[in-house]
Amino acid sequence: MRRVLAATLVTVAILSTMAWAASDRPTAIEYGSREAGIGAVLGRGLDARNTPSAVAVTSDGAVWFRESFTWHPRVARFGPDGSFREFWDPFFDLRGWYRPGGMIVDDRGAFTADGDGVVLGPVRGGGADTFVTRMGPDGSLRRRAAAGCTVAGNRTTIMMRTFVCFASPRAVPPALPNANWATRGPRGDVWFTDAEHSLIGRVRPDGTQTIFTRGLTRWHSGPQFITTGPDGNMWFTEIRDRVGRITQDGRITEFSRGIPHRASLGGIIAGRDGNLWFTLYHGMVLGKITVNGAVTLYHDLVYPSDGHDFDPVAMIVRDREGRLYYNEGQAGRIARVTISTKVAR
């Protein structure tokens, strides 16, 4: 009897573990699919060639993104009711897009949520003439002053840029516009990455700038996106195959175990489950890393369309419900990922 009882308890424990693992696994559905992928398709209408790039989720639950190719310069919106609308991108300019060698250069600047609309660049300088344009849910445009604000983003990183404002115009450091990404930290500091020089930077509200390199794999790390973690530290991705953590006093730790060599990491965001979630540029892969550095990769959340096995994904953002959104590059889709709401311990 004892053996039977023991076996029963083991079986229950195994089944409970399997059920928890299944419920803990993220699930994805897609916006913009022309054909059904994995799960429900929330909205249609996109052409895969439009290449959704920068993505934002506004306060009304709408999903916005920018479409990057010159033949279709649009800002698009999937409404919470499933509606789909496209608006002419106010900063589209044919001049200067194509450079020798076929490289596409885009100087349209910022793209970020602002209430129920989005803020679009460019941002000029750091003085009184600085401005951005806000696009409302109906496509209406309103120019807005943005003194003391700037856009961080590398010219070769097309439309993946962030818009940050400082305590005063004098606090804007001249080097920040060349950064790859920037975000505001929990203490009001602005943190940014610089892939070209393999460094992390911090700007105090008074404009004092500090550069951190110790702890990075110098000249090979290529820091990309950066965000505030659930532990109060700043977390960032590296272009090759690492996720990094930098404390508020500048101590850097890199994590690579569980990440494929030369995986090319993209965006990163803190989840409501107490973990960090990041994207890989190739293979439609979503990754999770705990604050202790344990990595889990999810390879089969979405379905590659049109025969593309390596559709780049880059930006990742979060809505008020804790769901994650990232762009699927050449597949012409935006993926919405639902993760566990149970906080990791």
Side-chain angles (χ1 to χ4, degrees):
M1 177 64 73
R2 290 182 178 178
R3 291 182 179 179
V4 173
L5 179 58
T8 301
L9 292 175
V10 170
T11 301
V12 170
I14 292 174
L15 292 175
S16 298
T17 301
M18 292 174 62
W20 162 246
S23 64
D24 193 40
R25 179 176 175 76
T27 58
I29 52 181
E30 298 172 307
Y31 290 77
S33 304
R34 305 192 72 181
E35 297 179 0
I38 295 177
V41 179
L42 297 187
R44 301 180 186 273
L46 288 184
D47 188 311
R49 294 172 296 174
N50 292 2
T51 312
S53 54
V55 60
V57 182
T58 51
S59 60
D60 58 354
V63 180
W64 294 71
F65 58 93
R66 222 164 192 167
E67 301 177 27
S68 63
F69 279 85
T70 57
W71 66 273
H72 198 76
R74 301 290 192 275
V75 174
R77 176 184 184 270
F78 280 107
D81 59 354
S83 61
F84 174 69
R85 295 190 66 183
E86 289 179 305
F87 309 103
W88 180 260
D89 191 324
F91 294 108
F92 175 70
D93 186 351
L94 284 173
R95 295 173 300 172
W97 267 61
Y98 290 100
R99 296 289 190 262
M103 179 180 291
I104 298 176
V105 179
D106 187 349
D107 288 325
R108 286 183 284 171
F111 187 88
T112 188
D114 182 59
D116 62 355
V118 288
V119 169
L120 308 168
V123 175
R124 303 183 185 279
D129 62 338
T130 300
F131 75 92
V132 292
T133 297
R134 184 185 188 275
M135 178 177 285
D138 59 352
S140 59
L141 301 176
R142 179 168 58 88
R143 181 166 166 166
R144 190 173 79 187
C149 303
T150 190
V151 169
N154 193 305
R155 288 173 60 90
T156 59
T157 307
I158 300 174
M159 290 184 296
M160 299 173 201
R161 305 185 182 187
T162 187
F163 172 69
V164 290
C165 297
F166 296 82
S168 71
R170 290 177 297 178
V172 183
L176 190 58
N178 297 320
N180 285 74
W181 197 251
T183 190
R184 193 174 302 280
R187 299 180 182 177
D189 302 335
V190 172
W191 292 80
F192 64 93
T193 61
D194 186 330
E196 181 180 357
H197 301 99
S198 288
L199 59 84
I200 304 294
R202 181 188 65 203
V203 184
R204 297 287 194 190
D206 63 0
T208 303
Q209 182 174 330
T210 306
I211 299 301
F212 303 98
T213 59
R214 186 174 182 178
L216 286 174
T217 305
R218 294 290 288 146
W219 310 117
H220 298 290
S221 58
Q224 293 290 299
F225 291 76
I226 187 167
T227 192
T228 302
D231 56 355
N233 297 312
M234 308 305 296
W235 288 75
F236 56 94
T237 54
E238 300 181 12
I239 189 61
R240 292 174 65 88
D241 49 21
R242 298 178 182 86
V243 173
R245 178 186 66 207
I246 181 168
T247 63
Q248 294 299 317
D249 58 359
R251 290 175 294 152
I252 294 175
T253 305
E254 294 177 318
F255 303 94
S256 60
R257 178 172 295 190
I259 302 174
H261 183 51
R262 296 186 178 180
S264 297
L265 304 190
I268 187 168
I269 195 75
R272 289 179 63 178
D273 60 347
N275 299 308
L276 284 299
W277 293 80
F278 61 94
T279 63
L280 283 71
Y281 279 118
H282 302 294
M284 309 278 257
V285 179
L286 181 67
K288 177 181 73 176
I289 183 169
T290 69
V291 293
N292 296 319
V295 171
T296 304
L297 299 182
Y298 302 94
H299 294 266
D300 55 353
L301 291 178
V302 294
Y303 180 77
S305 68
D306 301 326
H308 294 292
D309 293 327
F310 299 99
D311 286 325
V313 299
M315 288 189 67
I316 184 168
V317 296
R318 194 183 82 186
D319 68 11
R320 293 187 299 179
E321 305 300 320
R323 293 170 298 202
L324 311 177
Y325 299 77
Y326 62 85
N327 56 299
E328 297 180 27
Q330 296 174 13
R333 300 176 181 176
I334 302 293
R336 188 182 82 184
V337 180
T338 301
I339 62 176
S340 172
T341 57
K342 183 173 182 179
V343 176
R345 297 186 184 279

